[in-house]
Amino acid sequence: MERFSFAPEAAFVPCGDLLDHVSLAPLTPSSAEGALVQAVILRFEPGGRLRRHPAGSPQILAVLEGSGEVSGANGVDEPIGAGEAVFLHEGEDHEMKSEAGLTALIIEGESLDRFRGRPTAPSARQ
């Protein structure tokens, strides 16, 4: 077992204009380094924003703490909070913002798909 940190002190703010008041803490190598799947923690400060851009590959954005708004291809902001996730298809335009601040896990990779769930058992009530 190897331990490593994704605490705020381990995060960095990347160069570029895609992120505004958002830091990253990678959990895996990036796809640019040849990884088939990559995972990163995003921390949005209050007022933070991930600007609209297309998903480079299928991705899951799961909110771990806090709340904000996310929009997909239709551009309509929808509330999202801790315990909720969205699946984005490759090429799908999206953005995210948070007035209060939030922490999210993003997992992405070419063969990624979301868990579709198991059928529920029929009700025992008659």
Side-chain angles (χ1 to χ4, degrees):
M1 173 172 66
E2 293 181 52
R3 293 177 67 123
F4 64 101
S5 176
F6 62 89
E9 303 79 45
F12 66 93
V13 177
C15 296
D17 59 355
L18 189 60
L19 300 173
D20 185 20
H21 296 347
V22 179
S23 63
L24 303 175
L27 299 175
T28 65
S30 71
S31 56
E33 298 173 88
L36 297 176
V37 173
Q38 66 182 15
V40 64
I41 299 291
L42 286 172
R43 283 196 176 78
F44 288 67
E45 296 176 20
R49 180 177 175 195
L50 169 63
R51 297 183 193 286
R52 184 165 276 307
H53 69 287
S57 60
Q59 61 185 245
I60 294 171
L61 187 150
V63 178
L64 305 175
E65 294 179 329
S67 62
E69 294 180 325
V70 64
S71 67
N74 66 6
V76 176
D77 288 340
E78 297 182 27
I80 190 166
E84 297 179 304
V86 295
F87 180 83
L88 300 161
H89 297 273
E90 183 173 356
E92 184 174 358
D93 281 340
H94 63 285
E95 78 179 301
M96 185 171 203
K97 54 192 168 188
S98 175
E99 288 303 316
L102 70 78
T103 301
L105 169 65
I106 294 182
I107 304 168
E108 77 182 288
E110 286 189 30
S111 62
L112 188 70
D113 197 2
R114 73 172 200 79
F115 179 71
R116 302 288 176 185
R118 294 185 177 88
T120 55
S123 174
R125 288 187 240 168
Q126 308 236 342

